[in-house]
Amino acid sequence: MKLTLKKYKEQLPDWPQKGHYIMAQYDDEKIVVYQSYKRAIGEFAVKNQYFGGGFSLERMTWIKPNFLWMMYRNGWGTKEGQECVLAIHLKLDAFKKYLENSIVSSYNDDLGISREMWQKQVKESSVRLQWDPDHDPFGNKLERKAIQIGLRNQHIHSFAKEDIILIENISDFVQEQYQFVLNDDLDQLVIPEEKPLLFDDEVLNRKLNLK
């Protein structure tokens, strides 16, 4: 695996406890996001290094940069149709472009526009942005908010091929680490090393409510 790993408990003291954060593994060129699929789709993606085969370009696909949030959603790769867990190394510029074009999935007064205008933007947008409670390894909700990004139309086409640097199948790693969770042994749990992502673009940071 190309992921940088670190013990879960060693990372905890450096993580923010509440607020909106993009927790991710990234550098100046790339960011890792996660998805889970049935084996046929995942194996095609790893073999060909792009999404095709049974992958639908006609429906929205959701990417998650936060490993533990993905583990909450896919039950550590145990849910039906989510057995193949992928780590997708994306171009950071592409990830930023998604966010610049995103519309939040739920309305609030802080958006500074009417509900009608927001509904129009959601209908027209190709990128959906959603904040949800982050979760610990056992699936318990945290105060910190985690991000997921829905892509469709032209953005799902660019995501599926042009924006990808590397696709890794990390299913075996996920199952190995899940055993420590099942045994309530978080001292041994190792996960991808993550830290909060902030952009040089203050306008984008404000749009995303990042600290």
Side-chain angles (χ1 to χ4, degrees):
M1 289 195 310
K2 298 290 186 180
L3 292 171
T4 301
L5 305 175
K6 189 174 181 179
K7 284 194 173 181
Y8 166 72
K9 282 198 169 181
E10 290 179 5
Q11 299 190 62
L12 268 181
D14 297 325
W15 287 354
Q17 297 302 303
K18 56 185 177 181
H20 293 70
Y21 289 92
I22 301 176
M23 300 298 296
Q25 183 162 135
Y26 63 92
D27 58 28
D28 292 339
E29 297 179 354
K30 65 181 182 294
I31 183 169
V32 180
V33 299
Y34 302 95
Q35 291 187 308
S36 290
Y37 291 103
K38 59 184 180 183
R39 295 196 185 281
I41 293 177
E43 289 171 357
F44 178 99
V46 172
K47 179 181 177 181
N48 296 281
Q49 290 297 297
Y50 71 86
F51 285 99
F55 179 83
S56 174
L57 294 168
E58 306 305 317
R59 53 182 299 211
M60 184 167 280
T61 191
W62 291 87
I63 58 175
K64 303 166 181 65
N66 180 315
F67 177 80
L68 286 178
W69 204 97
M70 183 74 255
M71 295 308 101
Y72 164 73
R73 281 298 282 123
N74 68 10
W76 288 85
T78 63
K79 291 185 179 179
E80 185 177 355
Q82 299 190 50
E83 302 89 354
C84 190
V85 187
L86 302 179
I88 303 150
H89 300 243
L90 279 181
K91 297 172 184 175
L92 185 60
D93 286 346
F95 184 77
K96 183 181 178 184
K97 181 177 66 178
Y98 303 157
L99 295 172
E100 289 171 340
N101 288 279
S102 67
I103 301 297
V104 291
S105 59
S106 15
Y107 179 77
N108 65 76
D109 293 333
D110 293 337
L111 294 176
I113 57 175
S114 68
R115 183 178 291 273
E116 291 73 22
M117 178 60 72
W118 167 78
Q119 289 172 334
K120 181 175 183 292
Q121 290 180 355
V122 167
K123 188 175 181 180
E124 295 174 350
S125 173
S126 296
V127 185
R128 196 75 50 83
L129 174 64
Q130 187 166 312
W131 290 101
D132 300 278
D134 205 345
H135 291 76
D136 71 10
F138 299 116
N140 299 311
K141 283 186 182 181
L142 303 176
E143 288 189 63
R144 184 177 63 242
K145 297 292 186 181
I147 199 171
Q148 63 171 330
I149 301 153
L151 306 172
R152 64 179 180 176
N153 301 334
Q154 75 270 25
H155 285 100
I156 197 173
H157 283 267
S158 64
F159 163 76
K161 283 192 176 182
E162 291 88 2
D163 300 343
I164 291 171
I165 297 172
L166 174 70
I167 303 174
E168 295 187 278
N169 184 346
I170 61 169
S171 305
D172 290 344
F173 166 74
V174 167
Q175 288 309 304
E176 289 167 4
Q177 298 308 311
Y178 186 39
Q179 298 309 306
F180 297 123
V181 177
L182 291 175
N183 294 330
D184 197 10
D185 187 7
L186 297 190
D187 288 336
Q188 300 302 315
L189 177 63
V190 173
I191 66 171
E193 185 174 7
E194 295 180 350
K195 59 186 177 181
L197 171 62
L198 273 175
F199 297 99
D200 293 334
D201 185 344
E202 284 304 318
V203 174
L204 181 57
N205 289 335
R206 285 197 300 271
K207 172 184 176 177
L208 300 172
N209 200 23
L210 300 178
K211 306 300 183 185

